[in-house]
């Protein structure tokens, strides 16, 4: 299977190598070996593939020209066509069903809000279909016939997301729900007569409603007591039920069938029937349009385990390389599968899969830039004991051929996103560090998704201290394990992970040798304040209110303890992408330097992601070499 997946790319990659050489070669590099930093920064990987209705063409995002732009490819062609040449970065792309139209979003203007655009597959008739520069527009769903689009926007009130529909033929938009709280569209019924809506905080407690698109009358489908989360909404072909993910009366995100109960042909309520898939969090699921195939993905020990079933025969479909399938969806005609493959040693690939013949066609392209995939390293699952005896899951990467002794330097890499998780799939920074002979541990401290509700909520507000101590406790296990030098353990992370690394440097430094923060925030209150108005409502559940919980925010903000930093720290921040991190990096470094600490800061001015990545790799490698490994 792996051989067949890569076989289709040979002709493409030959063309790609010629293209890359012409665009990115420089006289300095010609005739000499590129550094690891240069190689890892030049691994251009496509993403977000979206198929046309006939499944003969597809769009995707690619940053090979500097910023992510929209490209379109035909399976019969040797090289794709670039459709957009915007100065802004494209955030997503979707092919409109049954139409010769492509929808995409781009960060536009000084506010950096996402605006929506339409373009034809030949690159003509580019038009922006949203109008308010200060508003954020988020695409959510198409109707099956592609005539209608559902999206959410805060155009009416800055702190509220409203549900809208738009006729993509006339561009007429309609406000479906405007209330005092966010109302988010999810999916159209098969005949486009109804729109499924979500109200409330989707991370803590929400409800699903059904809106009649003729009358705009809404019906509550998920009446419940206490907190419950409902996600998704894949309709059965007859429009009488939906598959959803829920935590109602459950300790994990669980699959359920939500049946529509009708009275005199009108929907009056919903009936929820849980479907047990074991004690694992349900990550995602998909039902084919004809109702024949169903896929679901469970998170088991941090790995995505995907199952595809034929609902008519009640049999599970055997997929090649099944352990590497991290998600499965279906084409519009339900005849082909769209499989996403992922592993630590291969970049994530999406393919079009024919279940009868098992033939595949690639929907993503990649370039290893002179690196050898066989040199990449797979992780092993480990657990360490935190301060209160809680077991913290983690992934451990050991350099190939490394001795299990105290000669190694260990980097503890914390994931970005409070409710995200460490993923055992290809990670540029992890493989770059391992290639430089560093061991890497990636923990899932409390608050990470994929280990049940209790674990995900165990870091909320005052309990944030437990997550910070989880992060700091990793060093004790490493010191006792004998896997690395007990005096050369480094805390590192991006975004939320950078926040954890700075917390260790300023408040929980015992046993640690150094810290690296990439685009990490240091002031928790400022992090919440600078978020968009509608995002603050969700963040209040997670962190509290900066005004009413001022003492709590100060306690958990490294910026108030910068004067206590006594270890080498490296701050890296992109001024355009993370202005808060850039400003705070200067303040943190200034405070640390007053202690005589050899701290460093790299503030990236470039808008080019490839250049920033190269400089980040170079700076991280030099810092670790000079301040830790050879110190």
């Amino acid at each position: 299977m792996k051989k067949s997946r890569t076989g289709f790319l040979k002709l493409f990659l030959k063309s790609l190598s010629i293209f890359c050489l012409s665009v990115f070669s420089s006289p300095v590099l010609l005739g000499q070996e590129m550094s690891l930093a240069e190689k890892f920064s030049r691994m251009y990987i496509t993403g977000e593939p979206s198929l046309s209705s006939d499944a003969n063409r597809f769009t995707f995002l690619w940053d090979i020209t500097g910023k992510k732009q929209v490209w379109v490819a035909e399976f019969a062609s040797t090289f794709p066509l670039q459709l957009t040449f915007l100065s802004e970065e494209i955030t997503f792309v979707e092919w409109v069903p049954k139409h010769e139209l492509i929808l995409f979003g781009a960060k536009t203007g000084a506010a950096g809000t996402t605006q929506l655009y339409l373009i034809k597959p030949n690159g003509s008739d580019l038009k922006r279909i949203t109008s308010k520069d200060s508003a954020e527009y988020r695409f959510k769903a198409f109707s099956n016939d592609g005539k209608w689009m559902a999206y959410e926007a805060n155009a009416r009130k800055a702190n509220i997301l409203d549900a809208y529909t738009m006729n993509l033929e006339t561009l007429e938009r309609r406000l479906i729900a405007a209330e005092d709280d966010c109302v988010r569209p999810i999916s159209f019924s098969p005949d486009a007569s109804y729109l499924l809506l979500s109200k409330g905080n989707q991370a803590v407690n929400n409800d699903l409603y059904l809106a009649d698109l003729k009358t705009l009358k809404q019906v509550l489908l998920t009446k419940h007591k206490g907190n419950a989360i409902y996600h998704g909404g894949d309709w059965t072909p007859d429009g009488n039920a939906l598959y959803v993910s829920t935590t109602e009366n459950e300790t994990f995100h669980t699959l359920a069938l939500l049946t529509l109960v009708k009275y005199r042909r009108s929907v009056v309520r919903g009936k929820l029937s849980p479907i047990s898939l074991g004690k694992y969090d349900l990550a995602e699921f998909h039902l084919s349009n004809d109702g024949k195939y169903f896929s679901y993905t469970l998170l088991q020990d941090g790995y995505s385990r995907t199952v595809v079933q034929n609902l008519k025969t009640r049999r599970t479909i055997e997929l090649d390389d099944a352990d590497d399938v991290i998600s499965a969806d279906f084409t519009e005609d339900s005849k082909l599968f769209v499989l996403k493959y992922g592993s630590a040693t291969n970049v994530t690939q999406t393919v079009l899969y024919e279940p009868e013949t098992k033939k595949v066609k690639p929907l993503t392209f990649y370039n290893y830039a002179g690196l050898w995939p066989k040199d990449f390293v797979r992780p092993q699952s480990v657990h360490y004991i935190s301060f209160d005896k809680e077991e913290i899951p983690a992934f451990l990467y050991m350099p190939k051929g490394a001795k299990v002794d105290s000669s190694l330097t260990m980097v503890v890499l914390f994931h970005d996103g409070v409710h995200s998780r460490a993923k055992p799939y290809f990670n540029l920074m992890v493989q770059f560090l391992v290639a430089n002979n560093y061991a890497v541990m990636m923990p899932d401290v409390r608050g990470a998704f994929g280990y049940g509700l209790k674990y995900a909520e165990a870091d909320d507000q005052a309990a944030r201290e437990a997550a910070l101590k989880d992060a700091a406790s990793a060093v004790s296990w490493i010191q006792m394990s004998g896997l690395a030098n007990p005096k050369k353990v480094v805390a590192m992370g991006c975004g939320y992970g950078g926040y954890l690394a700075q917390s260790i440097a300023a408040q929980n430094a015992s046993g640690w040798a150094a810290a690296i923060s990439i685009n990490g925030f240091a002031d928790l209150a400022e992090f919440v304040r600078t978020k968009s108005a509608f995002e603050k409502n969700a963040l209040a559940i997670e962190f509290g209110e900066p005004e009413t919980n001022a003492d709590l925010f100060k306690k958990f903000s490294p910026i108030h303890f910068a004067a206590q930093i006594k270890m080498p720290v490296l701050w890296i921040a992109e001024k355009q992408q993370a202005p808060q991190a850039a400003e705070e990096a200067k303040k943190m470094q200034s405070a640390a330097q007053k202690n005589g600490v050899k701290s460093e800061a790299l503030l990236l001015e470039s808008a080019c992601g490839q250049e920033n990545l190269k400089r980040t790799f170079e700076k991280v490698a030099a810092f670790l070499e000079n301040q830790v490994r050879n110190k």
Side-chain angles (χ1 to χ4, degrees):
M1 177 63 181
K2 290 180 180 176
K3 183 177 180 181
S4 63
R5 291 213 309 268
T6 57
F8 285 98
L9 299 180
K10 288 182 178 179
L11 183 59
F12 172 82
L13 291 177
K14 183 177 180 180
S15 302
L16 173 61
S17 62
I18 297 172
F19 177 75
C20 290
L21 185 63
S22 64
V23 175
F24 294 107
S25 293
S26 69
V28 176
L29 294 176
L30 289 175
Q32 68 182 53
E33 176 71 17
M34 290 193 297
S35 67
L36 282 174
E38 289 167 329
K39 289 180 179 180
F40 274 94
S41 66
R42 291 168 181 260
M43 285 187 60
Y44 298 99
I45 304 168
T46 67
E48 305 291 330
S50 179
L51 278 161
S52 61
S53 294
D54 59 11
N56 288 325
R57 295 163 294 167
F58 60 99
T59 62
F60 56 88
L61 298 183
W62 206 5
D63 62 352
I64 197 168
T65 55
K67 287 188 176 183
K68 287 183 180 179
Q69 297 294 319
V70 178
W71 295 65
V72 63
E74 296 184 25
F75 289 116
S77 177
T78 58
F79 202 80
L81 171 71
Q82 184 175 351
L83 293 189
T84 63
F85 300 83
L86 279 70
S87 58
E88 297 89 354
E89 181 134 313
I90 310 300
T91 57
F92 78 91
V93 60
E94 293 284 347
W95 202 298
V96 181
K98 308 291 192 302
H99 285 69
E100 287 291 291
L101 275 178
I102 294 167
L103 173 76
F104 68 89
K107 296 286 187 182
T108 304
T113 55
T114 298
Q115 304 295 319
L116 303 181
Y117 296 78
L118 287 173
I119 192 171
K120 288 187 175 180
N122 62 4
S124 65
D125 290 347
L126 172 65
K127 63 181 69 173
R128 177 173 155 180
I129 59 174
T130 50
S131 56
K132 192 172 182 179
D133 285 350
S134 61
E136 176 81 7
Y137 298 87
R138 297 178 176 180
F139 163 76
K140 303 305 290 187
F142 291 121
S143 60
N144 283 352
D145 60 7
K147 181 178 180 180
W148 299 94
M149 171 186 72
Y151 65 96
E152 60 190 28
N154 63 335
R156 181 178 62 92
K157 286 186 178 180
N159 64 332
I160 299 292
L161 285 170
D162 297 323
Y164 293 82
T165 61
M166 178 180 288
N167 185 314
L168 292 176
E169 297 172 354
T170 66
L171 300 187
E172 177 186 359
R173 64 176 179 266
R174 188 183 187 191
L175 181 59
I176 302 301
E179 302 179 12
D180 294 332
D181 199 358
C182 294
V183 181
R184 316 181 87 154
I186 299 176
S187 60
F188 288 94
S189 62
D191 62 359
S193 59
Y194 293 99
L195 182 64
L196 186 66
L197 305 173
S198 171
K199 297 184 184 181
N201 188 332
Q202 292 179 313
V204 180
N205 186 32
N206 69 316
D207 271 303
L208 299 181
Y209 285 76
L210 200 61
D212 186 314
L213 292 177
K214 287 184 178 179
T215 65
L216 297 190
K217 180 182 177 181
Q218 297 180 23
V219 176
L220 173 62
L221 300 180
T222 55
K223 186 176 181 180
H224 65 278
K225 295 180 180 179
N227 287 347
I229 302 170
Y230 305 90
H231 286 160
D234 279 21
W235 292 76
T236 57
D238 59 11
N240 291 327
L242 310 98
Y243 286 98
V244 300
S245 167
T246 183
T247 61
E248 182 180 339
N249 300 320
E250 302 287 345
T251 56
F252 292 85
H253 290 264
T254 302
L255 182 67
L257 184 67
L258 182 60
T259 305
L260 304 182
V261 179
K262 298 181 179 180
Y263 177 72
R264 293 181 179 177
R265 297 184 179 181
S266 297
V267 177
V268 293
R269 65 183 179 89
K271 179 183 178 183
L272 194 71
S273 303
I275 302 171
S276 178
L277 297 175
K279 296 298 181 181
Y280 301 104
D281 272 321
L282 177 66
E284 61 178 283
F285 59 91
H286 299 280
L287 178 68
S288 63
N289 286 343
D290 64 358
K292 180 180 180 180
Y293 295 110
F294 186 83
S295 73
Y296 62 89
T297 301
L298 302 177
L299 296 179
Q300 301 178 5
D301 298 323
Y303 286 87
S304 296
R305 304 301 186 194
T306 300
V307 176
V308 179
Q309 291 183 327
N310 185 321
L311 297 184
K312 299 192 182 298
T313 64
R314 300 293 178 180
R315 291 184 177 180
T316 298
I317 307 296
E318 293 187 7
L319 301 172
D320 289 340
D321 301 328
D323 287 344
D324 289 343
V325 178
I326 57 178
S327 71
D329 203 349
F330 311 99
T331 55
E332 286 181 37
D333 61 9
S334 306
K335 294 181 180 179
L336 304 174
F337 300 172
V338 179
L339 304 180
K340 183 180 289 186
Y341 287 88
S343 74
T345 56
N346 286 286
V347 298
T348 300
Q349 303 169 41
T350 305
V351 303
L352 196 60
Y353 181 85
E354 208 289 312
E356 299 298 327
T357 64
K358 296 189 177 182
K359 290 182 178 179
V360 299
K361 295 180 180 179
L363 297 176
T364 46
F365 307 123
Y366 54 91
N367 169 32
Y368 282 116
L371 295 166
W372 195 240
K374 290 183 179 180
D375 291 335
F376 299 148
V377 174
R378 289 182 181 270
Q380 55 181 301
S381 297
V382 298
H383 293 79
Y384 66 89
I385 305 300
S386 191
F387 70 100
D388 59 354
K389 309 303 180 185
E390 178 77 30
E391 284 196 6
I392 308 302
F395 292 106
L396 179 65
Y397 296 78
M398 299 295 288
K400 285 194 172 182
K403 295 180 180 179
V404 183
D405 57 22
S406 60
S407 64
L408 285 175
T409 296
M410 176 82 76
V411 177
V412 180
L413 184 62
F414 300 105
H415 63 75
D416 191 6
V418 181
H419 284 306
S420 185
R421 60 188 177 92
K423 298 177 182 178
Y425 303 115
F426 188 80
N427 184 302
L428 278 173
M429 181 58 74
V430 168
Q431 297 299 338
F432 173 74
L433 291 170
V434 173
N436 279 282
N437 205 42
Y438 292 100
V440 178
M441 173 191 273
M442 294 184 69
D444 271 333
V445 300
R446 266 169 273 207
F449 176 74
Y451 304 94
L453 280 182
K454 183 180 178 182
Y455 199 81
E457 297 171 354
D459 68 335
D460 289 353
Q461 299 190 27
R464 178 76 41 206
E465 186 171 13
L468 298 178
K469 288 184 176 180
D470 287 346
S473 296
V475 72
S476 299
W477 182 85
I478 295 168
Q479 290 171 337
M480 290 186 295
S481 70
L483 293 172
N485 189 319
K487 295 183 179 181
K488 296 186 177 182
V489 183
V490 181
M492 180 178 176
C494 180
Y496 180 69
Y499 160 73
L500 294 178
Q502 292 182 83
S503 174
I504 286 172
Q507 297 168 269
N508 297 284
S510 179
W512 295 85
I516 301 174
S517 170
I518 302 175
N519 288 339
F521 54 89
D523 188 336
L524 196 55
E526 189 65 15
F527 171 72
V528 173
R529 290 193 193 102
T530 54
K531 290 297 181 181
S532 58
F534 56 83
E535 288 178 305
K536 291 179 182 178
N537 296 332
L539 291 173
I541 303 294
E542 179 69 31
F543 297 110
E545 296 282 357
E547 289 73 24
T548 56
N549 303 105
D551 292 342
L552 203 62
F553 275 78
K554 183 176 181 180
K555 179 180 178 181
F556 298 144
S557 294
I559 199 164
H560 299 298
F561 303 91
Q564 299 177 185
I565 296 177
K566 296 181 180 180
M567 67 168 69
V569 181
L570 169 62
W571 286 274
I572 299 177
E574 297 176 280
K575 285 188 174 182
Q576 292 188 17
Q577 300 297 325
Q580 180 193 348
E583 286 301 312
E584 291 175 355
K586 292 186 287 186
K587 295 178 182 178
M588 294 287 285
Q589 185 193 23
S590 177
Q593 285 179 332
K594 292 178 181 179
N595 291 333
V597 174
K598 292 184 178 179
S599 60
E600 301 177 40
L602 173 63
L603 304 183
L604 300 166
E605 305 270 1
S606 175
C608 176
Q610 184 261 340
E611 176 63 24
N612 287 345
L613 194 58
K614 174 177 172 290
R615 294 187 64 194
T616 296
F617 284 141
E618 291 174 339
K619 191 67 175 179
V620 167
F623 177 83
L624 289 173
E625 190 76 11
N626 298 328
Q627 298 297 337
V628 185
R629 181 149 64 186
N630 292 334
K631 189 171 181 179

